């Protein structure tokens, strides 16, 4: 037993060291490597038209690699022997049906599932099967080739629209500054998935239609121009339905929004992490020192920090919750901010009384908000029942005094009876006999 | 047998008795060791694994921790207040033995104590039976009864080495309690009835079947009262036993206030009240004239009857007294459980006994049993009434539930011993041969010769029967009752014996390859074994205290994959374990138990699970192509037959238990679970719940996408999808 616990202690130490290492790495940046692959099509995309955007990208200290899909080029590979090669991939619209022999929709999905971030840009000219299938699996249904977003209430000839503040659907991704954005491209339908949320919405009077008369793909505000997706493992994907949105021509107006979307997709924005949730008895002793029993007072704390402008800052919010759950939640408590350091904002439950029910409970903080990385902390702990000597003693309960009195009264009277029975003489029995005489 | 009180004869008799007892104990212990010799020193079956685990906990953590044990590794996530919901007698006994042996310098592994616990106690049972039968007839009958109980298969079935169950100690305590009760009732000794009460307490702490004593002793007293055999001895012994026994039994946490609140215990309380009234009545009778007494008696009896019955009804109605338990109802109506409580009916031990089982378990004792009861009727002393009441009650119960064969066996042994001993008293008496006639010469007339012949014939026959009995018992014990059921005996194609060790293989895999806090869902039968052998958290186990929780697992097993996944995810399940016998022909597998899962969950969710849907339209229970779609979609079906047809190389596999053909297209794909382990003979199959798809798709469409990608199928869908509006 002792050896066992010693080994456990050692393992715990190692784990602790490892986790601190991890934390110190994470201090640098939420995304560990900066290798970014930009896939484009020479035939339709002239990189010079996006020089402003790439300059800004370079400021993010990204390691950019450009690859153009031409039928005879070398294969593009996202994985090397199953290991992900890049942390980010940007997909410009491609005219070819395929990306490459090895990069299919399934590869892209594997890339996302392995934690890679994808920024997918489509346009009315693009028709790549793999990209579309990939987006469909995420729940994004971009309009097919030839469909163009138009709005007859706006009068530009080339189809460029102005997007006002109402179009911005996610303040977490694009922080609105009052200026209208310029957009020329297609729109998509979005599925009602919990992991997917709209970033830009089409104007009320707009619609997406092909030049051939085939009916509308989207109408009004059900059309979306940019969307964000975050997987359960916090890998991100962003989609924008316009190539020119990023171009130098619009860059003066769109610069901030473009960079916001890119930063968000590459885990430079809207990233929060938890610094370990912990809970303990009111007096600070932990579960391991003294397991919880029903109706114990405990304190739960969790620290959250956000990656903002190149460093970890305290994350402030008023909707962080704790759930104490055994199949159904017994408690759902909103946590209050307590102390904060330079990096972390701590939230505390204050003193809460555990449920009056024994069982194996999960202490959960499940913070899932659109635009922010998901925080999920779960700790499973048993809450035991009262031991046989932890109930109040009988004499401490005033109700029991009645019964205690009766017990002692019976006992006492029995002793009195025995006493009198043994000591009294049968005089009284003799008396009537005399009378008879 | 006449007993000498002094002199050489006394010593010879004592020596003989000791020798006989040593050999009886030797026979009792050694015949129970078949399982250890054939297999190994291992805990058997299901419940013993829990008892073993609990004993280990007790030895490791001490009594206080054991008493307040909250077990968070069973019944996840409810947990079980194990310390307060078990009968601690068995564990404390073996822990006491362990500590004692350690004190005297014999540090024995606790497992060996547990394995050999039942055989050791069978020797004590033999002695207690001897004493009991001696009280009923004489020590000759006692020795026979001891010999019978030592090797009767009906008792051995629950007390072979490794069968570390409550019954192992309970039968011993049953006989000791009855022995002291008979003594107390005969002598009116307060000491003996106190002993009876103390052993009753021990029995209460060891087995739920103590209710049998709680009802049998009052029944005995009640019958004696009806027969007008009230005496002060009876009064003293019963009241002492009841008062001490009841107060003591309430100290067991699991029993608590049941003795005054449950209907099962009301008979004892009622008789306690009745005997006070009878005592008072007999006091009045001695004071007043007969006529006056009669009126007083009639009026008061009628009054009391009405008061008692209406009181019982009212208290039950308002819930002060718990109504009869389900197991009790199923004792009277064999169909009750099947209709109302499938969980009780699903246990094979609770099925009615088949006729041959009586002969199988007791051989020639079963036909001597009525003869013995008849002989006791002829004498009908007070203690004989007890044996008769016991016989009648238990014969009925044993007919209703296989399991209660165990409580019938001791009384069969006692009655049969009385019969045989009576027979031997008459026929084994050859003393007349040596008697000299009056004139001193030996008398050899015709009568004597015929008597000798008939007596030799009859005794010889019975000695032969006894011989056969020993053979039968040895055969039954070695062939039927010595299998640990954790390891299955089998034969190789060439006829040499082989062992099927799939269970331990799988449990060991679980122990070594899964996270320490992994939760395993399986049908409740395997809960104790998973807890004991694999040391993993289970959802349900053989304790069956929470029917709803069992129904949840049943519902998961009988639902389609996606629904089952939701249910299991909500309970944090990591692995699902199923038992599948189709490959090797092991008939006790989950597909054969499947209908019980359906029935139990139907009891809770009659709208979602319907038993009828699992049958073919013609009402058959099939697993081949003719099976209903609901059956084929059920998780249990998929997990059992996953990849099974491919084992046969073609698209079809033969299920050897059901003798049906399984087609690959009926089994279909497994989307939400992945196979992680299958044992050598496919008996145990383990599946892991897949993680949720990180991209938020449901697992079915995710794996459909993957399969399509692997096949290289292109999906060109550029049609506008029908989506719900986003708001």
């Amino acid at each position: 037993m002792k050896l066992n616990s010693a080994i456990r202690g050692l393992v715990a130490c190692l784990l602790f060291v490892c986790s601190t290492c991890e934390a110190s790495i994470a201090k640098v940046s939420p995304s560990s490597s900066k290798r970014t692959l930009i896939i484009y099509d020479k035939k339709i995309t002239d990189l010079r038209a996006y020089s402003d955007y790439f300059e800004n990208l370079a400021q993010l200290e990204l390691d950019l690699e450009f690859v153009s899909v031409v039928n005879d080029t070398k294969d593009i590979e996202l994985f090397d022997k199953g290991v992900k090669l890049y942390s980010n991939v940007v997909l410009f619209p491609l005219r070819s049906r395929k990306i490459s022999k090895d990069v299919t929709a399934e590869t892209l999905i594997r890339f996302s599932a392995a934690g890679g971030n994808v920024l997918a840009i489509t346009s009315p000219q693009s028709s790549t099967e793999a990209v579309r299938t990939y987006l469909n699996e995420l729940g994004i249904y971009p309009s097919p080739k030839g469909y163009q977003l138009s709005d007859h209430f706006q009068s530009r000839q080339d189809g460029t629209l102005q997007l006002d503040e109402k179009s911005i659907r996610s303040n977490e991704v694009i922080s609105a500054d009052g200026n209208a954005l310029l957009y020329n491209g297609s729109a998509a339908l979005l599925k009602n998935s919990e992991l997917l949320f709209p970033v830009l919405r089409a104007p009320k009077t707009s619609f997406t239609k092909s030049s051939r008369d085939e009916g509308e793909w989207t109408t009004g505000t059900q059309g979306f121009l940019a969307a964000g997706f975050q997987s359960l493992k916090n890998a991100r994907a962003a989609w924008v339905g316009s190539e020119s949105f990023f171009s130098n021509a619009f860059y003066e107006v769109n610069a901030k929004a473009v960079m916001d979307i890119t930063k968000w997709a590459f885990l430079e924005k809207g990233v929060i992490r938890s610094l370990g949730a912990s809970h303990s008895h009111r007096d600070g002793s932990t579960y391991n020192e003294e397991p919880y029993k029903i109706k114990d007072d405990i304190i739960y704390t969790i620290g959250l920090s956000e990656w903002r402008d190149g460093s970890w800052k305290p994350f402030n919010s008023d909707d962080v919750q704790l759930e104490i759950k055994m199949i159904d939640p017994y408690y759902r408590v909103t946590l209050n901010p307590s102390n904060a350091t330079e990096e972390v904002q701590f939230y505390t439950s204050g003193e809460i009384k555990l449920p009056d029910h024994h069982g194996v409970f999960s202490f959960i903080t499940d913070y899932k908000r659109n635009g922010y990385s998901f925080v999920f902390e779960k700790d499973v702990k048993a809450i035991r029942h009262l031991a046989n000597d932890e109930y109040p003693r009988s004499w401490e309960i005033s109700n029991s005094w009645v019964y205690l009195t009766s017990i002692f009264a019976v006992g006492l009277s029995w002793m009195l009876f025995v006493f009198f029975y043994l000591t009294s003489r049968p005089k009284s029995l003799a008396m009537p006999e005399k009378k008879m005489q | 047998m006449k007993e000498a009180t002094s002199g050489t004869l006394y010593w010879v008799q004592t020596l003989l008795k000791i020798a006989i007892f040593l050999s009886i104990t030797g026979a009792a212990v050694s015949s129970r060791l078949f399982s250890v010799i054939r297999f190994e020193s291992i805990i058997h079956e299901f419940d013993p694994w829990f008892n073993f685990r609990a004993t280990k906990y007790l030895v490791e953590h001490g009594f206080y921790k054991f008493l307040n044990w909250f077990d968070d590794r069973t019944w996840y996530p409810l947990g079980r207040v194990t310390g307060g919901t078990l009968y601690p007698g068995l564990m404390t006994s073996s822990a006491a033995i362990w500590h004692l042996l350690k004190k005297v310098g014999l540090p024995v592994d606790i497992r060996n104590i547990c394995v050999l616990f039942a055989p050791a106690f069978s020797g004590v049972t033999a002695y207690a039976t001897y004493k009991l039968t001696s009280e009923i007839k004489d020590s000759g009958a006692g020795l026979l009864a001891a010999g019978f109980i030592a090797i009767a298969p009906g008792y051995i079935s629950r007390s072979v080495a490794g069968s570390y169950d409550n019954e192992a100690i309970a039968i011993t305590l049953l006989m000791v309690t009855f022995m002291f009760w008979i003594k107390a009732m005969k002598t009116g000794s307060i000491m003996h009835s106190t002993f009876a009460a103390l052993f009753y307490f021990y029995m209460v702490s060891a087995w739920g079947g103590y209710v049998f004593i709680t009802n049998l002793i009052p029944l005995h007293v009640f019958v004696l009262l009806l027969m007008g055999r009230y005496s002060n001895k009876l009064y003293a012994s019963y009241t002492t036993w009841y008062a001490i026994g009841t107060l003591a039994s309430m100290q067991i946490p699991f029993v608590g206030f049941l003795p005054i609140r449950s209907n099962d215990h009301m008979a004892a309380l009622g008789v306690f009240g009745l005997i006070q009234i009878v005592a008072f009545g007999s006091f009045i009778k001695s004071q007043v004239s007969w006529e006056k007494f009669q009126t007083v008696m009639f009026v008061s009896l009628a009054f009391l009857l009405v008061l008692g019955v209406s009181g019982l009804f009212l208290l039950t109605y308002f819930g002060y007294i718990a109504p009869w338990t389900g197991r009790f109802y199923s004792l009277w109506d064999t169909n009750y459980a099947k209709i109302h409580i499938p969980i009780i009916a699903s246990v094979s031990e609770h099925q009615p006994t088949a006729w041959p089982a009586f002969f199988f378990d007791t051989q020639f004792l079963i036909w001597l049993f009525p003869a013995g009861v008849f002989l006791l009727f002829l004498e009908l002393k007070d203690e004989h009434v007890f044996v008769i009441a016991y016989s009648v009650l238990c014969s009925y119960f044993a007919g209703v539930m296989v399991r209660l064969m165990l409580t019938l066996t001791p009384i069969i042994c006692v009655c049969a011993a009385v019969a045989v001993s009576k027979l031997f008293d008459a026929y084994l008496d050859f003393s007349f041969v040596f008697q000299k006639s009056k004139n001193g010469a030996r008398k050899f007339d015709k009568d004597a010769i015929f008597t000798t012949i008939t007596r030799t014939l009859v005794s010889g026959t019975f000695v032969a029967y006894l011989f056969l009995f020993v053979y039968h018992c040895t055969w039954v014990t070695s062939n039927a009752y010595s299998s640990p059921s954790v390891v299955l005996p089998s034969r190789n194609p060439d006829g040499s014996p082989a062992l099927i060790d799939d269970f331990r293989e799988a449990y060991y895999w679980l122990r070594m390859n899964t996270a320490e806090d992994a939760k395993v869902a399986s049908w409740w039968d395997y809960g104790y074994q998973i807890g004991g052998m694999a040391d993993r958290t289970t959802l349900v186990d053989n304790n069956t205290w929470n029917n709803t929780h069992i129904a949840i697992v049943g519902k998961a097993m009988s639902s389609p994959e996606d629904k089952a996944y939701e249910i299991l995810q909500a309970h944090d399940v990591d692995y699902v374990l199923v038992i599948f016998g189709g490959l090797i022909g092991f008939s006790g597998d989950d597909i054969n138990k499947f209908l019980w899962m359906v029935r139990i969950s139907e009891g809770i969710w009659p709208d979602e699970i319907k038993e009828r849907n699992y049958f073919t339209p013609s009402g058959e229970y099939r697993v081949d192509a003719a099976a209903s779609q609901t059956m084929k979609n059920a998780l249990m079906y998929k997990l059992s037959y996953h990849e099974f047809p491919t084992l046969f190389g073609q698209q079809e596999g033969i299920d050897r238990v059901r003798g049906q053909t399984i087609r690959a297209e009926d089994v279909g794909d497994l989307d939400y679970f992945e196979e992680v382990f299958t044992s050598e003979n496919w008996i145990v199959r383990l599946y892991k719940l897949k993680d949720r798809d990180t991209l938020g798709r449901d697992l079915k469409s995710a794996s459909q996408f993957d399969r399509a990608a692997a096949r290289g199928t292109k999906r060109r869908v550029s049609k506008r999808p029908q989506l719900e509006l986003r708001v």
Side-chain angles (χ1 to χ4, degrees), chain B residues 614-637:
Chain B
Y614 294 83
F615 291 113
T616 60
S618 55
E620 284 171 293
Y621 180 62
R622 296 190 72 94
V623 291
D624 57 2
S628 73
Q629 199 51 47
T630 319
M631 179 75 194
K632 288 176 190 166
N633 286 342
L635 181 65
M636 179 51 76
Y637 184 89

Side-chain angles (χ1 to χ4, degrees), chain A residues 96-108:
Chain A
S96 57
R97 283 216 164 274
K98 289 192 212 164
I99 302 174
S100 84
K101 207 179 86 194
D102 282 354
V103 181
T104 59
E106 197 255 330
T107 324
L108 287 173

